[in-house]
Structures are given as C-alpha cells and as structure tokens.
Amino acid sequence: MEKYSGLSLVKHSLSHHENWERQWANPTPNKKYDIIIVGAGGHGLATAYYLAKVHGITNVAVLEKNHLAGGNIARNTTIVRSNYLWDESAALYEHSMKLWEGLSQDLNYNVMFSQRGVYHTCHTLGDMRANERLVHANQIQGVDNEMLTAEQLQKEIPTLDCSAGARYPIMGASVQRRAGNARHDAVAWGYARAASALGVHLIQNCEVTGMIIDGSNTIRGVKTKQYGEIRADRVGCVAAGNSGEMARMAGFEMPVESHPLQALVSEPIKPFLDTVVMSNHVHGYMSQSDKGDLVIGAGIDGWVGYGQRGSYPIIEHTIQAIVEMFPCTSRVRMNRQWGGIVDTTPDACPIIGTTPVKNMFMNCGWGTGGFKGTPGSGWAFAETLAQGKPGDLAAPFSMDRFVTGALIDEHGAAGVAH
Amino acid sequence: MLHIYCPHCCEYREEEEFHCKGQAHIARPLDPDNCSEQEWANFIFFRKNTKGQHQELWHHSAGCGKFFNVSRNTITYKIEQSYLLGTAPQPVLDVNKEGKA
C-alpha cells in the first residue's frame, strides 16, 4: 500500500495525478476462508480491518451484494458522539470515539473527523431532567458532556432560536464537545484500503443467498449467487437492514425490525452553523457540511420497510422542526432526499455476538445511530469473531438479553440523535 | 404517503391519521405463568421482519380509534388489503405467477 503523504502528493503531481495505485484489490474469491464477513459496509469493513490488524487473521473475505460502502454508510448524516446513558453502551461508544480520534492516522486516510461538538436542545422539563441525568452519568463514566443554559446556548449558536417566544421554547441544552462528524465515504474507503493491504479479500457483487449449515447446527460457509459455495470456519453477518434476511436463511428469528430512515441535504449556502444541533422534542437535527449544504435528519417511519425510501409526512415534520429551531433557514431549498434501511431493536442498542447456529455471529441492530459506532463496532465484532465468543465490550450486547431481560434501554440517549 | 383503508370507517384515509403497531397475528402464550423465558421473549420481542408481504396491526388513532390489520408489501409498500381483527387476509391472485390478475 502506497503511503499517502504530502510528499506522495508532490511526487504524483509530476505525472498529473494519473498514476495513483488502486485503493483496494478486486480478487476472485477462494473456495475457503477462516472467516467470512457478510456485508461490506462501514461496520463490515472495520471488522475486517481489526481482524487483520489486531488479531492477525487475514484469511478473511468480506462479501458484498452490491459495491462496497453503498448502503447505510453512504446514506447517514455522519454524526459521531458517545454520550450514552448506561455503562455498557457508554463503554462501547466511548471506545469508538477514542478510535475516531486517531482514525485518520491509523488508516493513513483522511476521514475528515471534525470535533465540532453536538448539542441536544431541551424544550421541556422532562428533556432537561433526562439530559441532566445523562450528563451526570457521563461524568461518572469519564465521557465529556455538559449542560448549558438557554443564554449560553444562544451565545454559542447565534442562529438558533432560543427566544421565549418560540413555539417550543428552548430551556437549555447538553453538549458533548468532543463529538462532531466525519466524511462517511472516506471512513469506509479508508477501512477497505487498509484491510485490503493487510490481505483481506473484498468481494463485491457477490450476493449471499443461503447459509451452509450441517447436521450439528454448525455453519460451514455461505451460498452465493455469483460464486457458488464459499466455505468458512466462522461467518459474521453485518448486514444492517438485511440482518433479518440473514437470520431467516439460517432459520431463526431476531428481535430486530427494519425501518426506513430518511435524510435531506439543501443547496449549498454560506457557512452559518459550525456545529451539530439536534432536538429530541421537535424531532430533527442539522449540521452544515464543508460544501455548505445543510445536512438534515429525520425520524424513522413507524412501519417495516425495505424500499430505501420513506414517507412524506416524516419529511414535512422534520422540516417543520428545523424551521422551528432555525427560522433563518425557512427559504433554503432542499437538493436531495433519500432513505436507508435501519435495523432497530426494542432497547435501541445493537446486537453483537453469537446466534443459535454455532460459529455464526451477528452484528446488527445499530438502528438509527450506527455511523458513530463504526470503529467500535468493528473492533468489538473482530474480537468476537477471532475468539469465537464476545469480549468484554460486546458481551452485554448479546441477543440473549431479550430472553434474560437484561436490556440496555437507550431510547433516551438514542432518541432522534443519530 | 400511504393511503390506508379503514375497515371500520369504510374509507381511505391518509397515513398520518394512523399508527402502525407492528406485526399482526402474534399469539400470546396461553399460559403465561408457565411458559419458558424463550417463549415469552418470542412473544414480546422476536419478529418476522418480513421482506415482502407483511401482515401488520394498525391503529386509526386520529380517526375512529379502532384497530385493524393491513397486508402490505414491505419492498414496494403497496397495500394489498385491510381486514378486521380476528379474521385472516383474503387470498389474492399473484399477478406475476398467474400471468393475469
């Protein structure tokens, strides 16, 4: 792998930037691997990278039915934060945050991680109490998070309507200053390039159509549409919205439902918002990209859907919320709107761990907030796949928790905030 | 925007009048005090998450306030039929398989 640096930029400028090497290889799959990962999204590629880098397992294939990084990693609103309520999830997301902080250096790929802060506005006494509780929990966990009054907030974000005359007046806000956003495509491409350089096979346009499971309920590999059977000792599914399909192929059900989640971007406008603002109460969130587009996120549709598009009422409600908070944006026109399929769990926390089928593992249920978890998810799932059982980070997130009742209820911290 | 037929109001109304309550026809364990934890978990949390024709429970929350079932395709979002609780969806000819409706 050619190292990206200022020097390489100068060197390649001499040949008009026409001789950069390809970022990753496109190999034909072998008949057998140690580990197969189904799904080359952010989480799948991160898993492959940490398997190779941390655990030294490079006989790995990542199978992807389309092109890599074309699902939710290409559709999210790029927010990164780690201020979750319970110790289990705070540990996972904070581990992820620490990886984010060194990710560009680690991957030798600029993921444009920008710690511009994420604000949660509070519009009711209930909001204030929930956020104060969150801030206190985070302080005990060693995660940065602080409360601001409406006056302090108005000073920090002048365009936000913090007046008492607003329809849902803002009473205060919590802010995680280490939070921010990152360039979503670069994250996936950086992981893909680094994993490929370590010897991982990235197999694009290879759709998994079935699981090969023997008489002792142990997985032996997968069936694919394009390359027939590919064998493996262990299989890890990281298929987000299609995780339910993976489970169905293997013959079990999961506590997961897939919903459309929408986002919008506006025409580019001059810089006016240098941070991320989200409101659980009026239900919308917004940041401004480096290009100047407003990146706006919505809630999920309440029904199961796989169509990668959502319904119009959600868009309308989201825009209402944004205009309510930022009246100055009322005449900005939207450029694009799209949907992704998110796999939600009943407690708004992911599922990482074993399945009823031996040697088959699942990493799913990241719901509306998977992007921020990309490095931590890959790290924890790589450990699970390498050892054949979940490590300390992943253990609380087993599917068993829905049977034992040890749920990790993050509805408050997850909220609209993705 | 989904247009949903409410079999109680006998009218098509817009999606915003309704709330989707998830998968339909989930049988509550007959003897909850003596069922296994897995059976209870299946009832409370585990779902089919169907990719294709899906039967789901809807609430006409801003209308008549009553519940009914809808059979809807989760890929095309096309609603095939609404039907009353306690009844099964009517079998519908598959246009693709039969070649005609």
Side-chain angles (χ1 to χ4, degrees):
Chain A
M1 182 173 81
E2 181 182 359
K3 191 172 174 352
Y4 290 161
S5 65
L7 194 67
S8 68
L9 204 60
V10 172
K11 195 180 99 191
H12 281 279
S13 71
L14 299 176
S15 54
H16 308 285
H17 296 291
E18 285 172 355
N19 294 317
W20 288 97
E21 68 174 32
R22 289 202 171 262
Q23 296 196 15
W24 52 80
N26 269 316
T28 319
N30 298 341
K31 285 281 160 225
K32 182 167 183 310
Y33 290 94
D34 290 346
I35 294 174
I36 284 178
I37 296 165
V38 183
H43 290 217
L45 294 166
T47 305
Y49 172 66
Y50 292 120
L51 263 178
K53 187 197 164 202
V54 180
H55 303 280
I57 303 173
T58 55
N59 188 17
V60 174
V62 188
L63 310 184
E64 169 57 49
K65 70 173 174 180
N66 295 316
H67 56 276
L68 66 81
N72 290 348
I73 190 78
R75 294 161 186 272
N76 63 83
T77 47
T78 77
I79 296 167
V80 176
R81 61 185 180 88
S82 64
N83 48 352
Y84 277 70
L85 178 63
W86 299 103
D87 290 349
E88 295 86 350
S89 30
L92 181 59
Y93 288 107
E94 181 59 18
H95 186 74
S96 196
M97 177 66 89
K98 293 202 169 109
L99 292 171
W100 275 113
E101 287 173 329
L103 198 59
S104 290
Q105 294 299 326
D106 186 27
L107 298 178
N108 179 230
Y109 207 100
N110 186 4
V111 301
M112 297 168 75
F113 182 47
S114 158
Q115 292 177 295
R116 57 183 67 183
V118 173
Y119 294 77
H120 286 82
T121 57
C122 307
H123 305 251
T124 65
L125 212 51
D127 272 357
M128 287 295 285
R129 285 177 181 150
N131 274 272
E132 278 167 1
R133 181 186 180 204
L134 199 55
V135 165
H136 291 145
N138 288 156
Q139 284 171 352
I140 293 168
Q141 290 150 351
V143 177
D144 75 306
N145 200 5
E146 58 188 276
M147 284 305 289
L148 301 177
T149 64
E151 293 73 37
Q152 288 169 312
L153 183 62
Q154 185 71 84
K155 226 174 189 171
E156 295 191 11
I157 311 174
T159 47
L160 181 66
D161 182 6
C162 297
S163 69
R167 187 170 180 190
Y168 302 103
I170 292 172
M171 301 171 75
S174 65
V175 55
Q176 185 178 24
R177 300 201 186 274
R178 280 161 69 234
N181 42 29
R183 168 101 205 278
H184 53 105
D185 292 324
V187 176
W189 296 339
Y191 274 123
R193 172 171 169 264
S196 180
L198 290 171
V200 171
H201 280 189
L202 309 177
I203 317 290
Q204 306 184 66
N205 298 312
C206 175
E207 182 176 352
V208 171
T209 55
M211 304 289 166
I212 306 167
I213 296 169
D214 70 8
S216 61
N217 202 28
T218 306
I219 198 157
R220 297 294 175 196
V222 298
K223 294 174 194 153
T224 68
K225 199 167 164 184
Q226 289 81 0
Y227 298 100
E229 292 189 354
I230 304 176
R231 300 265 159 176
D233 295 334
R234 287 177 185 154
V235 174
C237 293
V238 203
N242 283 308
S243 298
E245 283 296 293
M246 297 292 126
R248 213 176 338 275
M249 286 174 196
F252 58 92
E253 282 187 8
M254 297 193 64
V256 167
E257 284 196 312
S258 300
H259 294 270
L261 173 66
Q262 301 184 79
L264 315 93
V265 294
S266 75
E267 59 190 343
I269 57 174
K270 285 186 177 178
F272 87 104
L273 184 63
D274 61 356
T275 184
V276 185
V277 179
M278 46 181 59
S279 165
N280 284 359
H281 191 74
V282 296
H283 222 81
Y285 57 93
M286 181 162 80
S287 62
Q288 188 170 20
S289 76
D290 294 348
K291 280 189 299 183
D293 321 351
L294 302 181
V295 183
I296 296 169
I300 58 170
D301 282 287
W303 29 266
V304 172
Y306 287 90
Q308 291 193 324
R309 63 187 192 282
S311 64
Y312 288 103
I314 298 278
I315 303 173
E316 190 180 345
H317 291 167
T318 305
I319 294 299
Q320 280 171 354
I322 296 303
V323 173
E324 165 72 26
M325 290 199 292
F326 295 94
C328 62
T329 61
S330 67
R331 299 177 73 174
V332 174
R333 287 165 298 187
M334 293 299 133
N335 252 355
R336 299 193 304 280
Q337 163 271 333
W338 67 92
I341 302 305
V342 297
D343 41 335
T344 59
T345 60
D347 63 356
C349 274
I351 293 169
I352 310 171
T354 56
T355 68
V357 177
K358 203 166 170 244
N359 288 339
M360 178 177 174
F361 302 85
M362 276 279 181
N363 180 3
C364 64
W366 287 84
T368 56
F371 180 70
K372 69 174 83 70
T374 304
S377 162
W379 181 287
F381 198 46
E383 191 176 40
T384 305
L385 284 172
Q387 299 173 353
K389 62 180 174 47
D392 289 343
L393 269 184
F397 296 95
S398 78
M399 193 155 46
D400 265 359
R401 72 180 188 271
F402 296 97
V403 179
T404 62
L407 303 184
I408 309 164
D409 181 6
E410 287 292 359
H411 281 287
V416 67
H418 317 295
Chain B
M1 174 89 78
L2 302 176
H3 280 100
I4 300 168
Y5 183 78
C6 173
H8 301 289
C9 301
C10 300
E11 275 182 31
Y12 282 92
R13 297 288 181 85
E14 292 187 344
E15 180 186 348
E16 279 193 293
E17 284 191 22
F18 301 88
H19 263 121
C20 184
K21 297 290 187 182
Q23 185 184 325
H25 306 297
I26 301 173
R28 185 183 169 90
L30 289 173
D31 186 4
D33 291 336
N34 292 310
C35 73
S36 70
E37 288 192 338
Q38 184 65 52
E39 281 172 303
W40 190 245
N42 288 347
F43 170 63
I44 299 282
F45 295 125
F46 285 66
R47 295 294 176 261
K48 286 193 171 34
N49 198 19
T50 307
K51 191 174 188 176
Q53 208 62 33
H54 187 232
Q55 278 79 45
E56 55 202 13
L57 184 65
W58 282 76
H59 181 211
H60 198 174
S61 48
C64 64
K66 291 179 184 163
F67 288 83
F68 59 96
N69 289 332
V70 165
S71 178
R72 186 178 59 89
N73 187 304
T74 57
I75 304 166
T76 63
Y77 300 165
K78 186 169 181 274
I79 294 174
E80 195 175 76
Q81 56 183 301
S82 299
Y83 56 100
L84 295 170
L85 296 189
T87 64
Q90 294 293 314
V92 173
L93 279 180
D94 187 330
V95 181
N96 295 328
K97 274 187 197 155
E98 304 286 325
K100 56 183 191 275

